[in-house]
Every structure is written in structure tokens, then in C-alpha cells.
Amino acid sequence: MATTRADGLPIAYDRAGAGPLLVLLHGAGDDARVWTPQLDALADAFTVVAWDEPGAGRSGELPASFALADYAHRLAALVTSLRLGPAHVAGLSWGGTVALEFYRHHPDLVRTLVLADTYAGWKGSLPAEEVAARVAGVRRMLDASPTGFPPAAVPGLFAGAPPAAYVPLLEAMAAAARPDTLRAQLALMAGTDQRDILPAVSVPTLLLWGEQDVRSPLAVARQFRAAIPDAELVVIPGAGHLSNLERPEDFNRAVRDFCRRHS
């Protein structure tokens, strides 16, 4: 583990390997540990950095009134501190929304984008009635279990049962999730619409999607492909929303091939 400070906020991250910089952004309720199979597999070709975003993992508490742009600016401070040039930036689920906001504010720090099972904000990708249902569902879960909830409580994370090898990891991340952070992220996701960014993306972009993702269905991926100039779509068979854990070999191969082509 390493740390840096961004506007006084401690940011923790894991780092492995050497080569072009590949920055991994986790989803809501997770932390850097969700990228364990990518840190292990991609460090032979890249300097792989997985952060604990503000309010998650080993990083500092989420400041009051923290906006999506604030995540982008803290990420910029981290990338700049590494002094490895523009980064391949990969975001999973909520992390992809952060990646898009990072590109909006700091395009000079982005070499490529890898957007995995993600959204242009819930408001920008899902019907209004689905957003309302998700908000209500997460609030019920937080009220019932304010110290976190197991991954099995969140429908659609996997195409099948959670991979047995990662169940202890998933449970540990769920236990470490901070309710105040989850509530803040819920409000941000529900109110965010980033569709205006998509046509302006001018870096190579990989859309990496689980074939059976019901959290962010393939229809969302196709919206991204239609809006982002020259975006590539790779669909991972037999994978749900957390495709990086459910089919890590396929996920890693796609990321490796894409980033090598654009390094």
C-alpha cells in the first residue's frame, strides 16, 4: 500500500508492476481489493494502480458535500503524483462514472478509457422508474444493515453464484463499506447524467461488458458505443456486472490487448 494527499485528504492505493500506467477505479461499496485479479495478472505489462477512492478502504473520510468533480480532482492529484504520464484509466460500474468525470476535467491525464459495466450516471443511462426503484432499494438495505450488506443482497452482481474464491473478499469489502459514503454515492449516481461527455471523448475507448449484466444491461453499452466516436465493445460471455471477478481471464485479456495497442 502507498498513500498520497490530495487537498489534505489521504488517498491510499495499491501498486504493482512496471510499464505504462494503468489506473483502476472500483465500484460503489468496494475498494481497491476488488481489482486483486487484475493487479496479479497485469503487473507484468503495466504499472497497475488501484485506488481506494475518498471515503473507501484505507483512504480518508468523504468530506461533506463531496461532488463528482471532487472525485475527479483527487484522482488527478494521484495520477500527477505518480509522474508516469497520461494513464490508461479503467472504471468498473460507479468507477466508470468517475472515469468519465475525470476525463471531463483532466483529459490531458488520460491515454485511454476502459469503461466496464458502467453508466453515464444512473440518470444518464437508466429509465427514471428504474433509478427510483434502485434508490429505494439501496436505502432499505442501508436502513436494515447500516454496517454494510453482503454481495448476495445486491441482485444481479453475477450471472450465477458469486465465485467461491472471491466470496471472502466480497464479504470483507461489504463489512468495510461506509454507510455515509454509500448514501452520498447513491445521491450522486441517481442525479448524474453524463451523456454530454460521450461525443466529446477523443481518446481510444474500450467498452467491456458482461453478457448477462442486469445492473447495467448491454443496451447501456450500445448507447455508449453509439455516442463515443470509434469506441470498441467487447462482451464477456457468462459474466454479470462484476465481470472482472466472474471472468477475470477474459477481462484481463481484453484490457491487456487494448492497452498494449494504445501504449
Side-chain angles (χ1 to χ4, degrees):
M1 185 195 76
T3 60
T4 189
R5 298 189 74 85
D7 294 333
L9 182 68
I11 303 293
Y13 59 95
D14 292 327
R15 175 175 177 169
L21 179 59
L22 170 61
V23 176
L24 305 175
L25 312 180
H26 60 79
D30 298 332
D31 54 50
R33 291 175 289 178
V34 79
W35 294 112
T36 297
Q38 284 66 54
L39 280 163
D40 290 344
L42 297 173
D44 65 327
F46 305 97
T47 300
V48 187
V49 170
W51 81 335
D52 286 337
E53 68 181 14
R58 301 150 297 180
S59 291
E61 293 295 333
L62 198 69
S65 302
F66 207 67
L68 190 56
D70 294 315
Y71 284 95
H73 298 325
R74 297 319 196 275
L75 180 59
L78 170 58
V79 172
T80 301
S81 74
L82 296 169
R83 299 184 179 182
L84 290 173
H88 301 288
V89 180
L92 176 69
S93 189
W94 151 262
T97 302
V98 174
L100 282 171
E101 197 68 15
F102 180 57
Y103 181 80
R104 181 198 296 275
H105 294 281
H106 302 279
D108 56 311
L109 296 179
V110 180
R111 185 186 301 274
T112 68
L113 286 170
V114 178
L115 304 175
D117 298 283
T118 189
Y119 316 89
W122 282 353
K123 184 177 180 181
S125 294
L126 301 173
E129 58 272 18
E130 173 66 14
V131 175
R134 291 190 183 199
V135 169
V138 174
R139 285 176 175 165
R140 284 195 300 270
M141 286 190 288
L142 284 169
D143 290 343
S145 181
T147 58
F149 37 86
V154 182
L157 290 183
F158 299 98
Y166 296 117
V167 167
L169 170 64
L170 292 163
E171 292 176 344
M173 288 191 296
R178 306 177 199 177
D180 288 346
T181 297
L182 289 170
R183 292 181 188 278
Q185 290 171 330
L186 178 65
L188 286 173
M189 282 296 280
T192 293
D193 183 347
Q194 296 172 316
R195 284 176 290 182
D196 65 307
I197 305 175
L198 305 183
V201 173
S202 61
V203 296
T205 301
L206 173 65
L207 310 172
L208 192 51
W209 241 260
E211 180 185 33
Q212 299 180 49
D213 188 349
V214 296
R215 300 292 300 172
S216 180
L218 271 174
V220 176
R222 295 185 182 106
Q223 293 168 9
F224 273 81
R225 185 173 59 180
I228 298 175
D230 301 319
E232 301 177 32
L233 173 60
V234 172
V235 178
I236 301 177
H241 191 59
L242 295 186
S243 55
N244 71 307
L245 292 183
E246 196 161 20
R247 293 290 186 272
E249 295 85 1
D250 293 339
F251 188 100
N252 295 343
R253 185 183 307 110
V255 172
R256 177 190 298 274
D257 292 348
F258 176 79
C259 292
R260 274 184 165 170
R261 278 192 283 119
H262 299 287
S263 289

